[in-house]
Amino acid sequence: MAHQTINDNTLVESLFELFRSRGYEGATLALLSEVTGLKKSSLYHRFPAGKYDMAKAVVLHISAQLHNLVIEPLINSKEAPKKRFNNMVATIKAFYCDGNKNCILNVLSLGEAKAEINALLNKDYNDWLAALIKLGKEVGMNQQEARKRSERFLVAVQGALVIQRLTNNAKTFKNSMEDEQKLFFSQKTG
Amino acid sequence: MAHQTINDNTLVESLFELFRSRGYEGATLALLSEVTGLKKSSLYHRFPAGKYDMAKAVVLHISAQLHNLVIEPLINSKEAPKKRFNNMVATIKAFYCDGNKNCILNVLSLGEAKAEINALLNKDYNDWLAALIKLGKEVGMNQQEARKRSERFLVAVQGALVIQRLTNNAKTFKNSMEDEQKLFFSQKTG
DNA sequence: GTCTATATAATGATAGAC
DNA sequence: GTCTATCATTATATAGAC
């Protein structure tokens, strides 16, 4: 066997960047081959079930990152809740390249017949949501209010990414996150 | 010449529904043919430049609807501002089928090399934004605050649609819109 | 494990009959 | 204006050499 020219992690990261910029159908094998530097047949060697396998591997990889870099620190770090929330915002800002890159939750949930992948994406969302709700309750919100604010935050993340892609206005994501940071912890008003 | 079996309006509406559910790449000619009931060659007769032409026609069609059903009533109706805002929310709720259908601004702005279409989508967003800002100022906001709240609302629309698609939770869009309605007109807090 | 070469199916697009 | 038939290209996928 010839030696592996690209390790699993780098490989999946390359696939990920293409999938999130072009979506599932837009990420053709020719492009996947190009961005990874591996010929198509080599991709099939690493992912026997083909493109669907690659997308699934990407989702699992991102899922792990979400848990390690976002959810875990959000729940378990010793920092104050507000600080943990701010850390999360900083993390996702980097992850989305200041709002210039798409979220895989959006682009891979488009279209049809990707049941397994959709289930994974749904779970990621719910886990992230649960972590935010936990933090909300920690700062005194009741379940209902914590859920409402957490959902609002995640809606804002996805929406800001869409609008920034649409307008090419680099401030959209940044401004939204600053806004939502304040709103999440704000006092209720009538 | 044989008679036209589907009028322009119905035709574009059918194309639109497919494009918004599958995205540009996901809307293949085979599917476009299927949903319109026209053979591929007939589609080419109606849209000589092919698929790109169809997408452009769809965007122009939706653009007109946005102006007629959303923007115009938002700016010019004799109703009170709050009532006009509520009417807009009702209109888009119907348009997105209670949040169960995608926004073309999201799904068609994915991917590459659709300059003309992206420009049209960008313009639609900006026109809608301008109308909301105008309304905000009408109820006493300064330019900065009106823009901020208007952007927040449109971010919420796009975000809620993404999250509802992701979770299949039919309440997401509805709840978001109720939330944002209140937030748009709320008193500023610290 | 990666490659070249190839198979097979689908895609976007045309030609020409009616 | 729509259709059947066909084209060229690209897509996903496989076989087999090294």
Side-chain angles (χ1 to χ4, degrees):
Chain A
M1 314 173 188
H3 72 292
Q4 201 182 59
T5 57
I6 179 174
N7 67 43
D8 285 351
N9 201 66
T10 311
L11 177 54
V12 174
E13 286 279 345
S14 304
L15 299 174
F16 162 62
E17 287 299 340
L18 189 71
F19 273 116
R20 81 156 148 180
S21 86
R22 316 276 296 225
Y24 187 82
E25 281 83 6
T28 65
L29 283 178
L31 286 169
L32 290 162
S33 167
E34 190 182 316
V35 299
T36 57
L38 284 180
K39 297 294 175 182
K40 288 186 268 183
S41 50
S42 302
L43 285 174
Y44 276 93
H45 179 80
R46 307 279 282 265
F47 303 95
K51 185 174 167 177
Y52 192 84
D53 246 19
M54 300 180 212
K56 212 168 69 181
V58 161
V59 171
L60 289 171
H61 178 76
I62 295 308
S63 189
Q65 279 199 241
L66 177 70
H67 279 81
N68 293 337
L69 304 179
V70 176
I71 292 175
E72 184 69 14
L74 204 51
I75 294 177
N76 287 328
S77 121
K78 301 292 181 190
E79 312 270 10
K82 254 190 184 171
K83 172 73 171 150
R84 275 182 272 150
F85 190 97
N86 291 352
N87 286 344
M88 170 192 69
V89 170
T91 300
I92 67 174
K93 226 169 135 176
F95 184 75
Y96 297 124
C97 298
D98 294 314
N100 290 315
K101 298 211 172 173
N102 297 322
C103 183
I104 207 86
L105 296 180
N106 179 4
V107 304
L108 280 192
S109 61
L110 233 191
E112 291 295 300
K114 293 187 287 255
E116 224 175 336
I117 285 177
N118 282 345
L120 291 169
L121 298 172
N122 190 347
K123 180 173 177 353
D124 283 344
Y125 169 78
N126 279 310
D127 290 346
W128 192 355
L129 179 66
L132 282 168
I133 291 174
K134 192 161 184 292
L135 185 138
K137 288 162 107 171
E138 211 179 318
V139 296
M141 301 175 202
N142 62 31
Q143 167 72 25
Q144 189 197 347
E145 189 64 23
R147 164 173 283 271
K148 186 174 159 175
R149 291 181 183 218
S150 300
E151 283 176 344
R152 197 225 310 292
F153 176 76
L154 294 179
V155 161
V157 169
Q158 296 301 325
L161 292 174
V162 171
I163 301 293
Q164 182 155 332
R165 161 154 48 84
L166 204 55
T167 61
N168 259 311
N169 178 352
K171 291 181 184 165
T172 302
F173 187 73
K174 182 178 188 295
N175 288 347
S176 277
M177 290 303 98
E178 286 171 4
D179 248 44
E180 296 300 327
Q181 237 162 341
K182 285 175 204 153
L183 262 179
F184 189 87
F185 292 104
S186 74
Q187 298 304 311
K188 245 183 139 169
T189 65
Chain B
M1 314 172 186
H3 71 290
Q4 201 183 61
T5 57
I6 178 175
N7 67 45
D8 285 352
N9 201 66
T10 312
L11 177 53
V12 174
E13 286 279 345
S14 304
L15 298 174
F16 162 63
E17 287 299 340
L18 188 71
F19 274 116
R20 81 157 148 180
S21 86
R22 317 276 298 226
Y24 187 82
E25 282 83 5
T28 64
L29 283 179
L31 286 169
L32 290 162
S33 167
E34 189 181 317
V35 298
T36 57
L38 284 180
K39 297 294 175 183
K40 288 189 270 183
S41 50
S42 303
L43 285 174
Y44 275 93
H45 179 80
R46 308 279 282 265
F47 304 95
K51 185 173 168 178
Y52 191 85
D53 246 19
M54 300 181 214
K56 212 168 68 183
V58 162
V59 171
L60 289 171
H61 177 76
I62 295 307
S63 190
Q65 280 198 240
L66 178 70
H67 279 81
N68 293 337
L69 305 178
V70 176
I71 293 175
E72 184 69 13
L74 204 52
I75 294 177
N76 286 328
S77 122
K78 299 294 181 190
E79 312 269 11
K82 253 189 185 172
K83 172 72 172 152
R84 276 182 272 149
F85 190 97
N86 291 352
N87 287 345
M88 171 192 69
V89 170
T91 300
I92 66 175
K93 226 167 135 179
F95 185 75
Y96 297 123
C97 298
D98 295 315
N100 291 314
K101 298 211 172 173
N102 298 321
C103 183
I104 207 87
L105 296 180
N106 179 5
V107 303
L108 282 192
S109 62
L110 234 190
E112 291 296 301
K114 293 187 286 256
E116 223 175 336
I117 286 177
N118 282 344
L120 291 169
L121 299 173
N122 190 347
K123 179 172 177 356
D124 283 343
Y125 169 79
N126 279 311
D127 290 346
W128 193 355
L129 179 66
L132 282 168
I133 291 174
K134 192 161 183 290
L135 185 137
K137 288 163 107 170
E138 211 178 316
V139 297
M141 302 175 202
N142 62 31
Q143 167 72 26
Q144 189 197 345
E145 188 65 22
R147 164 172 283 271
K148 185 173 159 177
R149 291 180 183 220
S150 300
E151 283 175 344
R152 197 224 311 292
F153 176 77
L154 294 178
V155 161
V157 169
Q158 295 302 325
L161 291 174
V162 171
I163 301 293
Q164 182 156 332
R165 161 153 49 84
L166 203 55
T167 61
N168 259 309
N169 178 351
K171 291 180 183 166
T172 302
F173 186 73
K174 182 179 187 294
N175 289 345
S176 278
M177 289 304 98
E178 285 170 6
D179 247 45
E180 296 301 326
Q181 238 162 340
K182 286 176 203 153
L183 263 179
F184 189 87
F185 292 104
S186 73
Q187 298 303 312
K188 245 183 138 169
T189 65

PDB file of all heavy atoms in Angstrom, chain B residues 98-122:
ATOM      1  N   ASP B  98     -46.369  29.147   6.663  1.00  0.00           N
ATOM      2  CA  ASP B  98     -46.142  29.009   8.116  1.00  0.00           C
ATOM      3  C   ASP B  98     -44.722  28.568   8.459  1.00  0.00           C
ATOM      4  O   ASP B  98     -44.510  27.887   9.476  1.00  0.00           O
ATOM      5  CB  ASP B  98     -47.149  28.037   8.734  1.00  0.00           C
ATOM      6  CG  ASP B  98     -48.563  28.569   8.653  1.00  0.00           C
ATOM      7  OD1 ASP B  98     -48.772  29.755   8.960  1.00  0.00           O
ATOM      8  OD2 ASP B  98     -49.477  27.810   8.263  1.00  0.00           O
ATOM      9  N   GLY B  99     -43.793  28.947   7.610  1.00  0.00           N
ATOM     10  CA  GLY B  99     -42.397  28.627   7.894  1.00  0.00           C
ATOM     11  C   GLY B  99     -41.956  27.276   7.378  1.00  0.00           C
ATOM     12  O   GLY B  99     -40.829  26.851   7.617  1.00  0.00           O
ATOM     13  N   ASN B 100     -42.836  26.602   6.649  1.00  0.00           N
ATOM     14  CA  ASN B 100     -42.500  25.275   6.136  1.00  0.00           C
ATOM     15  C   ASN B 100     -41.809  25.308   4.771  1.00  0.00           C
ATOM     16  O   ASN B 100     -41.334  24.281   4.294  1.00  0.00           O
ATOM     17  CB  ASN B 100     -43.757  24.407   6.044  1.00  0.00           C
ATOM     18  CG  ASN B 100     -44.292  24.042   7.412  1.00  0.00           C
ATOM     19  OD1 ASN B 100     -43.525  23.647   8.291  1.00  0.00           O
ATOM     20  ND2 ASN B 100     -45.581  24.203   7.619  1.00  0.00           N
ATOM     21  N   LYS B 101     -41.766  26.469   4.161  1.00  0.00           N
ATOM     22  CA  LYS B 101     -41.080  26.563   2.875  1.00  0.00           C
ATOM     23  C   LYS B 101     -39.923  27.542   2.961  1.00  0.00           C
ATOM     24  O   LYS B 101     -39.957  28.498   3.734  1.00  0.00           O
ATOM     25  CB  LYS B 101     -42.086  26.972   1.794  1.00  0.00           C
ATOM     26  CG  LYS B 101     -43.201  25.940   1.633  1.00  0.00           C
ATOM     27  CD  LYS B 101     -43.730  25.872   0.224  1.00  0.00           C
ATOM     28  CE  LYS B 101     -44.698  24.711   0.085  1.00  0.00           C
ATOM     29  NZ  LYS B 101     -45.358  24.707  -1.233  1.00  0.00           N
ATOM     30  N   ASN B 102     -38.949  27.300   2.129  1.00  0.00           N
ATOM     31  CA  ASN B 102     -37.728  28.093   2.174  1.00  0.00           C
ATOM     32  C   ASN B 102     -37.883  29.447   1.523  1.00  0.00           C
ATOM     33  O   ASN B 102     -38.797  29.680   0.730  1.00  0.00           O
ATOM     34  CB  ASN B 102     -36.603  27.335   1.470  1.00  0.00           C
ATOM     35  CG  ASN B 102     -36.274  26.032   2.146  1.00  0.00           C
ATOM     36  OD1 ASN B 102     -36.276  25.943   3.364  1.00  0.00           O
ATOM     37  ND2 ASN B 102     -35.995  25.012   1.351  1.00  0.00           N
ATOM     38  N   CYS B 103     -36.938  30.315   1.838  1.00  0.00           N
ATOM     39  CA  CYS B 103     -36.876  31.610   1.161  1.00  0.00           C
ATOM     40  C   CYS B 103     -35.886  31.505   0.016  1.00  0.00           C
ATOM     41  O   CYS B 103     -34.784  30.976   0.156  1.00  0.00           O
ATOM     42  CB  CYS B 103     -36.450  32.714   2.119  1.00  0.00           C
ATOM     43  SG  CYS B 103     -36.445  34.342   1.329  1.00  0.00           S
ATOM     44  N   ILE B 104     -36.304  32.019  -1.107  1.00  0.00           N
ATOM     45  CA  ILE B 104     -35.471  31.984  -2.300  1.00  0.00           C
ATOM     46  C   ILE B 104     -34.184  32.800  -2.094  1.00  0.00           C
ATOM     47  O   ILE B 104     -33.153  32.512  -2.716  1.00  0.00           O
ATOM     48  CB  ILE B 104     -36.297  32.508  -3.507  1.00  0.00           C
ATOM     49  CG1 ILE B 104     -35.798  31.929  -4.817  1.00  0.00           C
ATOM     50  CG2 ILE B 104     -36.360  34.015  -3.545  1.00  0.00           C
ATOM     51  CD1 ILE B 104     -36.406  30.627  -5.158  1.00  0.00           C
ATOM     52  N   LEU B 105     -34.236  33.798  -1.222  1.00  0.00           N
ATOM     53  CA  LEU B 105     -33.055  34.605  -0.925  1.00  0.00           C
ATOM     54  C   LEU B 105     -31.953  33.748  -0.312  1.00  0.00           C
ATOM     55  O   LEU B 105     -30.769  33.990  -0.523  1.00  0.00           O
ATOM     56  CB  LEU B 105     -33.400  35.741   0.041  1.00  0.00           C
ATOM     57  CG  LEU B 105     -34.378  36.805  -0.437  1.00  0.00           C
ATOM     58  CD1 LEU B 105     -34.609  37.846   0.652  1.00  0.00           C
ATOM     59  CD2 LEU B 105     -33.891  37.497  -1.710  1.00  0.00           C
ATOM     60  N   ASN B 106     -32.357  32.760   0.444  1.00  0.00           N
ATOM     61  CA  ASN B 106     -31.387  31.851   1.047  1.00  0.00           C
ATOM     62  C   ASN B 106     -30.920  30.816   0.029  1.00  0.00           C
ATOM     63  O   ASN B 106     -29.734  30.720  -0.273  1.00  0.00           O
ATOM     64  CB  ASN B 106     -32.015  31.165   2.267  1.00  0.00           C
ATOM     65  CG  ASN B 106     -31.055  30.169   2.933  1.00  0.00           C
ATOM     66  OD1 ASN B 106     -29.899  30.036   2.573  1.00  0.00           O
ATOM     67  ND2 ASN B 106     -31.559  29.468   3.934  1.00  0.00           N
ATOM     68  N   VAL B 107     -31.855  30.074  -0.536  1.00  0.00           N
ATOM     69  CA  VAL B 107     -31.457  28.905  -1.322  1.00  0.00           C
ATOM     70  C   VAL B 107     -30.798  29.248  -2.650  1.00  0.00           C
ATOM     71  O   VAL B 107     -29.969  28.490  -3.137  1.00  0.00           O
ATOM     72  CB  VAL B 107     -32.648  27.947  -1.560  1.00  0.00           C
ATOM     73  CG1 VAL B 107     -33.253  27.505  -0.234  1.00  0.00           C
ATOM     74  CG2 VAL B 107     -33.700  28.559  -2.443  1.00  0.00           C
ATOM     75  N   LEU B 108     -31.141  30.381  -3.240  1.00  0.00           N
ATOM     76  CA  LEU B 108     -30.526  30.716  -4.535  1.00  0.00           C
ATOM     77  C   LEU B 108     -29.238  31.519  -4.397  1.00  0.00           C
ATOM     78  O   LEU B 108     -28.559  31.780  -5.386  1.00  0.00           O
ATOM     79  CB  LEU B 108     -31.507  31.456  -5.444  1.00  0.00           C
ATOM     80  CG  LEU B 108     -32.548  30.593  -6.149  1.00  0.00           C
ATOM     81  CD1 LEU B 108     -33.262  31.383  -7.232  1.00  0.00           C
ATOM     82  CD2 LEU B 108     -31.946  29.328  -6.747  1.00  0.00           C
ATOM     83  N   SER B 109     -28.909  31.928  -3.188  1.00  0.00           N
ATOM     84  CA  SER B 109     -27.657  32.676  -3.024  1.00  0.00           C
ATOM     85  C   SER B 109     -26.505  31.752  -2.663  1.00  0.00           C
ATOM     86  O   SER B 109     -25.374  32.183  -2.480  1.00  0.00           O
ATOM     87  CB  SER B 109     -27.814  33.767  -1.960  1.00  0.00           C
ATOM     88  OG  SER B 109     -28.123  33.211  -0.702  1.00  0.00           O
ATOM     89  N   LEU B 110     -26.794  30.458  -2.594  1.00  0.00           N
ATOM     90  CA  LEU B 110     -25.747  29.469  -2.326  1.00  0.00           C
ATOM     91  C   LEU B 110     -24.941  29.200  -3.597  1.00  0.00           C
ATOM     92  O   LEU B 110     -25.482  29.258  -4.692  1.00  0.00           O
ATOM     93  CB  LEU B 110     -26.384  28.162  -1.880  1.00  0.00           C
ATOM     94  CG  LEU B 110     -25.942  27.519  -0.570  1.00  0.00           C
ATOM     95  CD1 LEU B 110     -26.511  26.133  -0.443  1.00  0.00           C
ATOM     96  CD2 LEU B 110     -24.463  27.532  -0.396  1.00  0.00           C
ATOM     97  N   GLY B 111     -23.681  28.863  -3.415  1.00  0.00           N
ATOM     98  CA  GLY B 111     -22.879  28.407  -4.542  1.00  0.00           C
ATOM     99  C   GLY B 111     -22.176  29.520  -5.288  1.00  0.00           C
ATOM    100  O   GLY B 111     -21.854  30.544  -4.719  1.00  0.00           O
ATOM    101  N   GLU B 112     -21.979  29.286  -6.571  1.00  0.00           N
ATOM    102  CA  GLU B 112     -21.060  30.136  -7.336  1.00  0.00           C
ATOM    103  C   GLU B 112     -21.696  30.762  -8.566  1.00  0.00           C
ATOM    104  O   GLU B 112     -22.725  30.316  -9.047  1.00  0.00           O
ATOM    105  CB  GLU B 112     -19.871  29.293  -7.810  1.00  0.00           C
ATOM    106  CG  GLU B 112     -18.951  28.847  -6.709  1.00  0.00           C
ATOM    107  CD  GLU B 112     -18.250  30.005  -6.016  1.00  0.00           C
ATOM    108  OE1 GLU B 112     -17.532  30.756  -6.700  1.00  0.00           O
ATOM    109  OE2 GLU B 112     -18.436  30.163  -4.791  1.00  0.00           O
ATOM    110  N   ALA B 113     -21.076  31.782  -9.044  1.00  0.00           N
ATOM    111  CA  ALA B 113     -21.232  32.234 -10.419  1.00  0.00           C
ATOM    112  C   ALA B 113     -22.673  32.453 -10.852  1.00  0.00           C
ATOM    113  O   ALA B 113     -23.107  31.994 -11.882  1.00  0.00           O
ATOM    114  CB  ALA B 113     -20.574  31.229 -11.365  1.00  0.00           C
ATOM    115  N   LYS B 114     -23.458  33.119 -10.024  1.00  0.00           N
ATOM    116  CA  LYS B 114     -24.795  33.475 -10.453  1.00  0.00           C
ATOM    117  C   LYS B 114     -24.953  34.979 -10.248  1.00  0.00           C
ATOM    118  O   LYS B 114     -25.897  35.450  -9.630  1.00  0.00           O
ATOM    119  CB  LYS B 114     -25.840  32.688  -9.670  1.00  0.00           C
ATOM    120  CG  LYS B 114     -25.806  31.192  -9.974  1.00  0.00           C
ATOM    121  CD  LYS B 114     -26.955  30.438  -9.313  1.00  0.00           C
ATOM    122  CE  LYS B 114     -26.734  30.283  -7.831  1.00  0.00           C
ATOM    123  NZ  LYS B 114     -26.308  28.946  -7.446  1.00  0.00           N
ATOM    124  N   ALA B 115     -24.015  35.716 -10.774  1.00  0.00           N
ATOM    125  CA  ALA B 115     -23.856  37.147 -10.495  1.00  0.00           C
ATOM    126  C   ALA B 115     -25.163  37.909 -10.648  1.00  0.00           C
ATOM    127  O   ALA B 115     -25.574  38.640  -9.741  1.00  0.00           O
ATOM    128  CB  ALA B 115     -22.782  37.732 -11.407  1.00  0.00           C
ATOM    129  N   GLU B 116     -25.813  37.714 -11.788  1.00  0.00           N
ATOM    130  CA  GLU B 116     -27.021  38.464 -12.084  1.00  0.00           C
ATOM    131  C   GLU B 116     -28.104  38.175 -11.035  1.00  0.00           C
ATOM    132  O   GLU B 116     -28.779  39.071 -10.537  1.00  0.00           O
ATOM    133  CB  GLU B 116     -27.518  38.060 -13.467  1.00  0.00           C
ATOM    134  CG  GLU B 116     -27.991  39.196 -14.340  1.00  0.00           C
ATOM    135  CD  GLU B 116     -28.350  38.650 -15.730  1.00  0.00           C
ATOM    136  OE1 GLU B 116     -27.813  37.592 -16.099  1.00  0.00           O
ATOM    137  OE2 GLU B 116     -29.167  39.278 -16.407  1.00  0.00           O
ATOM    138  N   ILE B 117     -28.255  36.896 -10.744  1.00  0.00           N
ATOM    139  CA  ILE B 117     -29.263  36.480  -9.766  1.00  0.00           C
ATOM    140  C   ILE B 117     -28.930  37.007  -8.374  1.00  0.00           C
ATOM    141  O   ILE B 117     -29.792  37.526  -7.663  1.00  0.00           O
ATOM    142  CB  ILE B 117     -29.389  34.934  -9.768  1.00  0.00           C
ATOM    143  CG1 ILE B 117     -30.142  34.499 -11.033  1.00  0.00           C
ATOM    144  CG2 ILE B 117     -30.096  34.435  -8.519  1.00  0.00           C
ATOM    145  CD1 ILE B 117     -30.284  33.008 -11.199  1.00  0.00           C
ATOM    146  N   ASN B 118     -27.687  36.897  -7.994  1.00  0.00           N
ATOM    147  CA  ASN B 118     -27.287  37.402  -6.684  1.00  0.00           C
ATOM    148  C   ASN B 118     -27.555  38.896  -6.549  1.00  0.00           C
ATOM    149  O   ASN B 118     -27.970  39.371  -5.496  1.00  0.00           O
ATOM    150  CB  ASN B 118     -25.809  37.105  -6.435  1.00  0.00           C
ATOM    151  CG  ASN B 118     -25.585  35.653  -6.042  1.00  0.00           C
ATOM    152  OD1 ASN B 118     -26.528  34.953  -5.680  1.00  0.00           O
ATOM    153  ND2 ASN B 118     -24.356  35.202  -6.128  1.00  0.00           N
ATOM    154  N   ALA B 119     -27.315  39.623  -7.627  1.00  0.00           N
ATOM    155  CA  ALA B 119     -27.567  41.064  -7.598  1.00  0.00           C
ATOM    156  C   ALA B 119     -29.049  41.350  -7.381  1.00  0.00           C
ATOM    157  O   ALA B 119     -29.419  42.252  -6.624  1.00  0.00           O
ATOM    158  CB  ALA B 119     -27.082  41.705  -8.897  1.00  0.00           C
ATOM    159  N   LEU B 120     -29.902  40.567  -8.048  1.00  0.00           N
ATOM    160  CA  LEU B 120     -31.343  40.746  -7.889  1.00  0.00           C
ATOM    161  C   LEU B 120     -31.788  40.424  -6.462  1.00  0.00           C
ATOM    162  O   LEU B 120     -32.600  41.157  -5.871  1.00  0.00           O
ATOM    163  CB  LEU B 120     -32.096  39.857  -8.884  1.00  0.00           C
ATOM    164  CG  LEU B 120     -31.974  40.231 -10.367  1.00  0.00           C
ATOM    165  CD1 LEU B 120     -32.538  39.126 -11.247  1.00  0.00           C
ATOM    166  CD2 LEU B 120     -32.665  41.568 -10.650  1.00  0.00           C
ATOM    167  N   LEU B 121     -31.253  39.351  -5.918  1.00  0.00           N
ATOM    168  CA  LEU B 121     -31.615  38.953  -4.550  1.00  0.00           C
ATOM    169  C   LEU B 121     -31.161  40.016  -3.553  1.00  0.00           C
ATOM    170  O   LEU B 121     -31.893  40.378  -2.630  1.00  0.00           O
ATOM    171  CB  LEU B 121     -30.971  37.604  -4.208  1.00  0.00           C
ATOM    172  CG  LEU B 121     -31.379  36.406  -5.067  1.00  0.00           C
ATOM    173  CD1 LEU B 121     -30.517  35.185  -4.719  1.00  0.00           C
ATOM    174  CD2 LEU B 121     -32.859  36.084  -4.902  1.00  0.00           C
ATOM    175  N   ASN B 122     -29.970  40.499  -3.772  1.00  0.00           N
ATOM    176  CA  ASN B 122     -29.414  41.553  -2.921  1.00  0.00           C
ATOM    177  C   ASN B 122     -30.306  42.794  -2.958  1.00  0.00           C
ATOM    178  O   ASN B 122     -30.617  43.386  -1.916  1.00  0.00           O
ATOM    179  CB  ASN B 122     -28.002  41.883  -3.423  1.00  0.00           C
ATOM    180  CG  ASN B 122     -27.248  42.781  -2.461  1.00  0.00           C
ATOM    181  OD1 ASN B 122     -27.824  43.363  -1.549  1.00  0.00           O
ATOM    182  ND2 ASN B 122     -25.953  42.899  -2.667  1.00  0.00           N
TER     183      ASN B 122
END
